[in-house]
Each structure stands twice: as C-alpha cells, then as structure tokens.
Amino acid sequence: MIVHEDHAPGALALAAEGRWPELLGRFRRARAAGAPSAGPLGHLLAYFAPPELAARLFDRDGAPGTAATVGDHDAGPFWEVLATRHTWLRLAPLLDPAPVRRLVAHTRVLLGEDLTHGVEPDPGGVPYALEPWEAACREGTGPVREYLPGGGARLALRALPADREGLGPVDLPRPGPLAPELAATRLLGAMAPWASAVCVRGAAPQAAAHLADTDRVTGGPLTFPAAYPALLQLASGGPGHGAAQGRLAVWRLLTAMTGETVLERAEVEALVARLRCFTWCESDDELCYLHLAVEDPATGLAWAVSGQAAV
C-alpha cells in the first residue's frame, strides 16, 4: 500500500471515528490556504466518507477557494476516486457542479454501468453507455485507476503495441504528403505532451513513416477496437486527469476525423467501422509508449501518433 506522509495530524483517526464534517472543514481550510495536505485530505474524504458528505467536496457553500474543482487531485482526481466508490444511483442526487456530474457519470460508464436512461443528455452527445468497439477497454483491470485507501493508485499500462505477437518485419513506404493543419491532428497531438502526431494524404503506413525511427520496422495491422484502450489511456493524461476525460477526448477526436464539429453518432460509428489501423515497435520502447496510425479510406487521410513517456 502506498501511504502519503503529509496527512494532517489526526486525519486518519478522525476518519476512523466517522467525524467527516470535521475532516471536510480541515480540507476546506487547507485548500483555501494552498496547503499540500489538501490533496491527501480530499482523497481520504472521497474514498472513505459517506457519499452525502464526500460529494460536498465540490459544494460552494464554504468560503471562497474551499470547493474542489475537476482539477483537484492527489493520486487522481477527487471526482474519479468518488466515482469508483459509489454507483450513479447514489451519487446523482448529490452532485451539483455540471462538469463534476458529467465526469462522474462517464467514469461509471467506464466501470460498466449503462446510464442511457439514468442521466441528463451529455452536452457533447457522447453516449452514457459503452459502444461495442469500446468494450476492449473493460478487459483486465480496465481504464480507471484502482485507488488505494491510504493514497496512491494502481493503473495497468496499456502500451501499443502491447507485444510483438502477430507483428512482423515491414518495409515502410515513402512518407505520404502532409495534409493541411486539421482539427483532428491538433487534438491527437494534444493528447499527451510526449506524443507527436501527423496527418497525411495516403495510407496508414505512409503516416507511420513520418514518425518511425527506421524505414524497416516490426509492425502490422490491428483493429480500432484493439487500439482504443491505449488511445484512451493516452488521452487520460497524468494524475490530474481521469479516464472519463480520456473517453471524451477520444470521442472529440473521432468527431473531428469525420470532418464535423458537432458529434453525429452515426458518422462516428461509420468511421470506426472503416478505419484501418497499423502499429509498430521502436528500438527504445520501455513501459509507456504508443505507435499507432489510423487510415480513413473514405477520405484518403491517415493520422499517426507516436511517442514514449518518461518513466
């Protein structure tokens, strides 16, 4: 178990005694003062407190600067910790800030709940149930961190390619001509600071040729559903972001790849069904990396994203 050393004195004892209002007050004072203890206290409340009290982390009924936002985190965002501890049925009546409600709802979806008929429509049109091509993200440990009682979290790394099974030597073609700056390219490149993205007119290997470190790689095709879990993790970012934010980012990316600015479910589904994907290995791959190219044969455009996070 990973235990933080900066819990305010007596916080664990107060939690053991169920003195949650006192802990909430302590969190609010720490947050308003910018004290480092605010993170561990928020985690403690989100993890252990009854939902009626834990949801008050986000209430604005205290002094200025005391309410947590979607950006407040310790090992992960407080709203994600809270969402791993209670069902949407318990949390829905308690959460007021719209951004928090949205992210908690999508976290519950990633944890397996179908909220199609249990929540207000998503403002971006993203469904409150996993699509069939998203199902692979639920395999194994899933995309949401496993939070620990005393602080910290576990998350399985979803590198791509995960291994070399099914891959073989590939001579990459000449790089395709770069396409003009497109919204989808910007969104793909912004998913992680360590990843680079390009868009070309051509096939997926022609996009990969722009980012691969050699002309001859170990690579091969794969389906978009198989690539989705790694792409979702890429978009989820560091401790200040959660898997729900990653899911929303991937849906924004797919919407942009359709050429639309507003999500049309049918357009996204048709795009996913026709995407052709290619993955490859790099000589210095270690733990957290992604090498993926996706091609839309309907438009003749292909995107590639590649990089490795420092660990």
Side-chain angles (χ1 to χ4, degrees):
M1 178 184 296
I2 303 172
V3 180
H4 288 280
E5 301 295 335
D6 57 354
H7 277 300
L12 293 176
L14 290 177
E17 296 172 12
R19 294 162 64 179
W20 303 117
E22 292 179 55
L23 275 175
L24 179 63
R26 186 172 292 186
F27 164 78
R28 288 176 167 177
R29 290 190 295 273
R31 190 189 188 282
S37 60
L41 284 168
H43 178 97
L44 190 67
L45 285 159
Y47 191 96
F48 283 114
E52 294 77 11
L53 192 293
R56 292 186 62 198
L57 282 167
F58 309 99
D59 283 355
R60 301 184 183 90
D61 58 358
T66 61
T69 68
V70 295
D72 286 80
H73 67 279
D74 190 35
F78 299 156
W79 52 263
E80 187 171 70
V81 179
L82 182 61
T84 65
R85 304 296 291 163
H86 307 283
T87 65
W88 178 249
L89 185 64
R90 291 292 306 277
L91 294 173
L94 307 173
L95 297 170
D96 183 49
V100 173
R101 286 182 62 83
R102 186 188 190 199
L103 291 171
V104 168
H106 281 288
T107 303
R108 292 308 309 172
V109 169
L110 287 167
L111 290 169
E113 282 197 59
D114 185 338
L115 303 183
T116 304
H117 304 294
V119 64
E120 58 273 11
D122 180 76
V126 180
Y128 279 117
L130 292 179
E131 294 296 302
W133 49 269
E134 295 182 280
C137 77
R138 293 281 301 132
E139 295 176 0
T141 58
V144 181
R145 298 178 183 94
E146 177 191 352
Y147 289 99
L148 305 177
R154 299 187 184 99
L155 177 66
L157 293 177
R158 294 174 179 267
L160 193 69
D163 56 46
R164 301 194 175 197
E165 183 179 354
L167 305 182
V170 176
D171 290 316
L172 293 174
R174 291 179 62 83
L178 291 171
E181 184 74 7
L182 298 173
T185 314
R186 293 193 298 271
L187 290 170
L188 186 59
M191 283 186 170
W194 48 265
S196 299
V198 297
C199 178
V200 306
R201 298 192 183 281
Q206 291 178 286
H210 276 276
L211 302 179
D213 59 1
T214 64
D215 295 337
R216 186 174 177 82
V217 299
T218 299
L222 77 166
T223 65
F224 184 79
Y228 174 74
L231 196 58
L232 188 154
Q233 182 166 291
L234 173 76
S236 298
H241 286 77
Q245 288 163 317
R247 183 177 188 238
L248 295 174
V250 173
W251 275 85
R252 284 194 296 271
L253 172 66
L254 294 172
T255 298
M257 285 182 172
T258 68
E260 302 291 341
T261 57
V262 177
L263 191 156
E264 295 288 344
R265 289 270 299 278
E267 293 289 330
V268 170
E269 299 299 335
L271 171 72
V272 168
R274 66 177 182 261
L275 283 178
R276 300 170 182 170
C277 301
F278 176 84
T279 189
W280 72 96
C281 301
E282 298 284 7
S283 58
D284 60 347
D285 288 339
E286 292 185 2
L287 291 176
C288 186
Y289 52 86
L290 182 70
H291 312 299
L292 173 68
V294 295
E295 169 194 344
D296 181 1
T299 61
L301 296 174
W303 288 265
V305 60
S306 179
Q308 179 174 181
V311 291

